[in-house]
Amino acid sequence: MARHWLIPAILLFSTALPATSPLAQQQQKPVVTVAKPVVRDVVDVDEFIGRFEAVDEVTVRSRIGGYLDQVHFTDGAMVKKGDQLFVIDQRPFKTALDVATSSLEVAKSTLVFAEAEFTRTESLVQKGTLPISTLDDRRRELRSAQANLRGAEASLARAELDLEYTKIIAPLAGRIDRRLVSVGNLVQADQTALTTIVSLDPIDFYFDVDERRLLSYARQAREQGSNLQEGGGSLDVYVTIADSSEKPFKGKLDFAENRVDQETGTMRVRARFDNPDFVLQPGLFGRVEVSASNTYTGILVPDDAIGSDQDQRVVYVVAEDGSFTTKPVRLGPRLYGYRVIREGMTGDETIVVNGLTRLRPGVVVDAKMITLPPEAASTENGQ
């Protein structure tokens, strides 16, 4: 009977041996990727959402009333300052100019006659032929003729100006909108909007800054011998737009409002950007990054290397024997594609950067060492 149960027991014992062998234990170790953190000089940045606005914008209106006769631009085209945009029907104004020219000729003729009469009367009065009262009448007529001449000259100048105003020109260079009035419609002087023009190069970006960071920027501006309201301290900023294929655009702070909004506790700040290719358009939203510190040595790790332990953020430090421990850390901003570690690391640790889900308490890991590049591939502008 003993032979019937002894053989299965031996088989069971023999099959259990490989599971506890050193080779089996090696195969059961979870494989994780580890690396040293990146240690390099960094500058903190703050991020804000804002909107682009044109440096100059104008609504084109006519200075005189009349019927629109011609349109001399293509909707949405780039125009230069002084380009002709519209023409108001010129015929009534040419007629008014002819009338003013004729009135000027009459006034000149009247003045010549009045001067001759005054000179003749003055001679006769000196001879005693005419009374002095007649000379006074001629002097009055002469002065009236002189005044009429000045009035006629002013009327002619006004008629010439009105005729000039029938040609509506671009007051600034930029991109023009569509025409808002069709040919043949009546245009009211100083009221009817014909189109709009916005300048594109350079272009401004406006965003709101809270009090704490506002004071920080003002301090940086003072350290550079400038003022936040006068030139923005010339702090460099980077703006990223919705098109991920476009590299961030570099500009400079150049203006801040003169008071903090009492309702929001923020101040509006402006940065100016060169825009030679007209990629940036008024009204576009963007994310701006502003330098928020002086240069310091920072410890950078990938976001994937950061885990959570209840209410703490931790990294997993691996020892030479494959064991690991957790280290609580305090996180900073995201720079160069990594996360800045404010507290909790010295920069010499070997941490798990990939495979956090395979970690279990008491487990020894199979660590594969890699070297992190100074700048992650996902970074956008080096900040």
Side-chain angles (χ1 to χ4, degrees):
M1 295 294 293
R3 293 179 180 178
H4 292 285
W5 58 264
L6 180 60
I7 294 175
I10 294 174
L11 291 175
L12 180 64
F13 178 74
S14 62
T15 57
L17 282 177
T20 58
S21 65
L23 179 60
Q25 292 179 353
Q26 180 69 20
Q27 292 175 346
Q28 291 175 356
K29 289 182 180 180
V31 179
V32 296
T33 305
V34 299
K36 297 286 187 181
V38 176
V39 179
R40 59 173 296 176
D41 290 341
V42 297
V43 176
D44 288 349
V45 296
D46 292 327
E47 291 189 356
F48 305 94
I49 300 297
R51 187 192 294 271
F52 286 98
E53 293 186 16
V55 175
D56 296 305
E57 180 178 355
V58 64
T59 300
V60 179
R61 291 182 170 87
S62 175
R63 298 189 181 188
I64 50 94
Y67 288 90
L68 187 61
D69 187 42
Q70 301 173 31
V71 178
H72 289 278
F73 67 89
T74 302
D75 292 351
M78 294 296 297
V79 297
K80 298 178 181 179
K81 183 178 181 179
D83 285 353
Q84 184 170 293
L85 305 178
F86 300 93
V87 176
I88 303 296
D89 187 0
Q90 295 182 326
R91 291 173 296 178
F93 300 97
K94 288 181 178 179
T95 301
L97 179 60
D98 292 339
V99 172
T101 302
S102 300
S103 298
L104 179 61
E105 294 300 326
V106 172
K108 289 180 177 179
S109 176
T110 302
L111 178 60
V112 170
F113 177 76
E115 289 175 343
E117 283 293 303
F118 177 78
T119 301
R120 187 181 305 109
T121 302
E122 187 178 33
S123 176
L124 294 176
V125 168
Q126 290 176 354
K127 294 178 181 180
T129 305
L130 292 176
I132 297 179
S133 59
T134 303
L135 180 62
D136 293 338
D137 291 339
R138 298 297 177 268
R139 182 179 291 108
R140 176 180 56 78
E141 293 171 357
L142 173 61
R143 291 179 177 175
S144 178
Q146 292 172 338
N148 288 337
L149 177 62
R150 291 193 295 270
E153 291 173 341
S155 296
L156 177 63
R158 179 56 186 268
E160 291 174 341
L161 191 60
D162 286 346
L163 182 60
E164 180 182 344
Y165 285 159
T166 59
K167 297 179 179 180
I168 303 171
I169 62 175
L172 57 88
R175 189 173 300 281
I176 196 167
D177 197 6
R178 65 182 179 88
R179 56 180 179 177
L180 303 177
V181 178
S182 299
V183 172
N185 281 295
L186 178 64
V187 175
Q188 299 288 342
D190 301 322
Q191 295 183 16
T192 305
L194 301 175
T195 189
T196 59
I197 303 175
V198 294
S199 64
L200 293 179
D201 185 24
I203 192 168
D204 289 335
F205 184 83
Y206 288 89
F207 58 99
D208 295 329
V209 176
D210 59 80
E211 294 182 16
R212 179 182 61 83
R213 285 180 280 193
L214 171 67
L215 295 174
S216 174
Y217 301 154
R219 182 178 63 255
Q220 292 184 62
R222 289 194 299 271
E223 291 174 354
Q224 298 182 14
S226 183
N227 186 283
L228 192 62
Q229 278 75 21
E230 300 175 5
S234 298
L235 300 179
D236 290 336
V237 299
Y238 294 86
V239 163
T240 304
I241 58 177
D243 186 356
S244 59
S245 64
E246 290 288 349
K247 294 182 179 180
F249 298 86
K250 182 180 179 181
K252 287 184 178 292
L253 293 184
D254 75 332
F255 168 76
E257 293 183 345
N258 59 2
R259 67 179 63 190
V260 175
D261 190 300
Q262 295 181 358
E263 295 183 359
T264 63
T266 61
M267 178 181 286
R268 181 146 296 181
V269 180
R270 183 181 73 194
R272 182 158 292 183
F273 294 81
D274 293 330
N275 189 29
D277 298 328
F278 309 138
V279 175
L280 305 176
Q281 299 290 321
L284 280 180
F285 280 100
R287 187 179 74 251
V288 63
E289 296 182 348
V290 186
S291 298
S293 73
N294 295 321
T295 302
Y296 67 95
T297 301
I299 300 172
L300 312 179
V301 302
D303 280 331
D304 292 340
I306 301 171
S308 298
D309 184 7
Q310 296 182 355
D311 60 344
Q312 291 182 327
R313 307 308 296 274
V314 297
V315 295
Y316 296 86
V317 180
V318 178
E320 293 183 359
D321 61 358
S323 62
F324 67 90
T325 57
T326 60
K327 259 194 174 185
V329 293
R330 186 168 70 88
L331 306 183
R334 183 175 171 83
L335 300 176
Y336 302 100
Y338 297 109
R339 181 67 59 181
V340 175
I341 302 300
R342 292 293 195 202
E343 295 177 359
M345 294 183 64
T346 63
D348 296 329
E349 299 88 348
T350 300
I351 62 172
V352 179
V353 297
N354 191 7
L356 267 64
T357 57
R358 305 188 188 102
L359 301 179
R360 296 291 183 272
V363 172
V364 176
V365 299
D366 181 11
K368 304 296 184 182
M369 176 67 75
I370 64 170
T371 300
L372 296 175
E375 186 171 325
S378 61
T379 185
E380 297 174 342
N381 61 10
Q383 295 294 323

